[in-house]
Amino acid sequence: AEWWWLFDDSLAIIATQLRERNYVVLDGFLGAGKADAMHGELERAYLAGRLPETKLEMVGCPRLEPGALAGGKTGGSLTYRMNAVRGDYVAWFDGREQACQWNVLPQYLQRVDTLVSELGPLVPSLSGAASFRSNAMATCYPGNGSRYVRHCDNTSSVRNGRRLTALYYANPDWQPCNGGELRVFNPQRVYEESEAKGDREFIKVADIAPLGDRVVLFFADERVPHEVLPTYKRRYAVTIWYFDKEEKELANQFKADDDLKKEEAERTRREIERFQKTFGEAALIVEKNAESCEEDHLDRVSESEDSDDDVEAWRGHASDTSIPNPEHGVSLSRNQPELPPEAHHPEPLQPSQATTTATTTTTTTTT
């Protein structure tokens, strides 16, 4: 069945792995035909306007641009680019852009929304997280060793509202030599503001290959530090974040806080100095303008709370942009144990594992 992950036994396995391991891998999410078509759509969007022969293709469709770093809780602070830290190209879509000629992307969005909605009652940590989500962030790592250093998509110090990260990989015929694995690390302790920050120890839990038609769900906070390993072939993915509604709305209120913006800008300048010292690459400061679709979608790699010598050790990071405003996202129709370092990475769920009756599916509404 195409919607095999909605069968009761599949939902039970997915929910159990999220509760106990903080992430879960699903293979065959759309089916071979739709998966190939999704790859074609993302590659067309990446190449549009990038080559002389594609200069006039899909005029009006947002172009994938180098991913940006920092930006604060809401993307309004100092932002910059540094290829050694983050080497992907990104653009944001809601699946309704006529100029982009989407076909499969809207179908995927409906399906993953339905899955997260059905998981809500089964996973306490997802309570309320199926109410709002971001638009879809399409990404391409162009190869040549491009990567993304270790980070979390949300932390207790950033609090950008992100609760769950959903990744879809669109890379047919991916081979181990192509690299680009999603490396997942052990959960990290959340320190209270009054506590002294201890040394963090990062232990690899799993390397997840970005295979075609694979979905990875994981918690966006300190439970799942992760990085993208060096990539040697074009690597396509679609990322969505599901929000804690109250935390998201609180973060949006900081847009008018000039003192916070100054504080975050200074923290970002210190961060840039450390990165430049470590990687030997100058940062490119990103200027905001009316045409930039990154205005509300900018990364936050927060200041390391550990020693300056361990620049890669911890990035409290509202990965791949700070949180979008409600009008830039989608409203859905309905509504932690730590992983031991030695735990074995579970086998990805397959369509063949679904054998019982599927639950009632839900639809999505946009705002």
Side-chain angles (χ1 to χ4, degrees):
E2 278 197 2
W3 296 60
W4 62 270
W5 30 267
L6 275 184
F7 284 86
D8 291 339
D9 57 342
S10 297
L11 283 172
I13 295 172
I14 295 168
T16 297
Q17 290 195 10
L18 269 178
R19 290 194 305 267
E20 297 181 355
R21 299 180 179 272
N22 302 315
Y23 74 98
V24 62
V25 181
L26 292 76
D27 283 338
F29 190 77
L30 291 176
K34 287 185 172 62
D36 289 344
M38 176 76 97
H39 171 262
E41 291 181 12
L42 294 176
E43 185 161 74
R44 188 174 66 241
Y46 172 69
L47 294 177
R50 197 169 301 280
L51 304 173
E53 58 268 30
T54 64
K55 184 177 181 180
L56 299 179
E57 289 188 7
M58 296 199 300
V59 175
C61 183
R63 303 307 197 196
L64 274 69
E65 302 291 345
L69 298 159
K73 285 179 179 287
T74 59
S77 184
L78 178 67
T79 62
Y80 67 98
R81 290 169 178 153
M82 189 176 291
N83 190 63
V85 176
R86 176 181 184 180
D88 60 345
Y89 287 71
V90 309
W92 293 84
F93 303 98
D94 63 16
R96 295 174 294 180
E97 297 87 356
Q98 293 184 359
C100 300
Q101 304 169 29
W102 299 121
N103 179 28
V104 179
L105 179 61
Q107 298 179 54
Y108 166 69
L109 296 178
Q110 182 191 37
R111 293 189 185 201
V112 72
D113 285 344
T114 301
L115 173 59
V116 174
S117 180
E118 294 294 339
L119 287 173
L122 304 177
V123 183
S125 293
L126 292 183
S127 175
S131 297
F132 292 96
R133 65 159 168 82
S134 69
N135 284 335
M137 186 184 73
T139 68
C140 176
Y141 287 81
N144 301 318
S146 52
R147 60 177 298 203
Y148 202 151
V149 299
R150 183 171 59 236
H151 61 274
C152 289
D153 292 351
N154 188 13
T155 68
S156 57
S157 59
V158 174
R159 296 189 183 280
N160 60 25
R162 291 176 177 172
R163 179 71 61 81
L164 183 75
T165 302
L167 295 174
Y168 178 85
Y169 292 125
N171 305 296
D173 304 318
W174 195 263
Q175 302 297 321
C177 63
N178 301 140
E181 293 89 352
L182 177 73
R183 175 163 290 179
V184 175
F185 295 91
N186 58 307
Q188 297 297 302
R189 179 184 172 188
V190 176
Y191 289 97
E192 300 295 333
E193 291 186 6
S194 59
E195 287 186 286
K197 306 298 188 294
D199 293 335
R200 298 184 186 275
E201 182 180 16
F202 292 89
I203 301 172
K204 183 185 78 171
V205 170
D207 284 341
I208 303 172
L211 302 182
D213 208 21
R214 169 170 283 181
V215 165
V216 184
L217 304 178
F218 59 87
F219 291 114
D221 56 22
E222 290 96 338
R223 283 173 283 187
V224 188
H226 56 281
E227 67 177 313
V228 176
L229 299 183
T231 305
Y232 302 101
K233 179 182 178 181
R234 285 179 192 156
R235 175 191 187 273
Y236 294 101
V238 175
T239 306
I240 300 172
W241 285 277
Y242 292 86
F243 298 116
D244 176 278
K245 187 173 183 291
E246 292 184 3
E247 185 177 293
K248 177 180 184 295
E249 292 176 345
L250 181 62
N252 279 334
Q253 294 176 14
F254 284 102
K255 281 198 168 188
D257 192 327
D258 291 335
D259 290 337
L260 177 63
K261 289 180 182 178
K262 292 178 181 178
E263 178 184 331
E264 289 182 329
E266 180 57 34
R267 185 165 58 234
T268 299
R269 291 188 183 95
R270 295 196 300 269
E271 174 183 285
I272 290 173
E273 291 177 359
R274 291 198 305 275
F275 282 155
Q276 289 179 156
K277 179 181 177 180
T278 300
F279 298 108
E281 178 184 345
L284 174 65
I285 304 301
V286 178
E287 296 292 338
K288 297 292 187 66
N289 59 70
E291 296 179 355
S292 174
C293 65
E294 292 183 339
E295 181 73 25
D296 297 297
H297 299 288
L298 284 168
D299 263 349
R300 171 67 212 158
V301 179
S302 78
E303 179 182 6
S304 172
E305 296 177 345
D306 299 299
S307 69
D308 288 349
D309 294 333
D310 191 15
V311 178
E312 269 192 279
W314 180 250
R315 312 195 186 287
H317 157 104
S319 137
D320 309 306
T321 80
S322 196
I323 64 171
N325 283 328
E327 62 267 28
H328 295 126
V330 173
S331 175
L332 305 185
S333 60
R334 71 171 244 206
N335 75 52
Q336 74 220 80
E338 291 193 353
L339 177 64
E342 69 278 7
H344 176 68
H345 170 50
E347 290 297 320
L349 273 68
Q350 303 281 351
S352 59
Q353 293 178 256
T355 58
T356 58
T357 304
T359 59
T360 302
T361 60
T362 61
T363 58
T364 64
T365 58
T366 59
T367 58

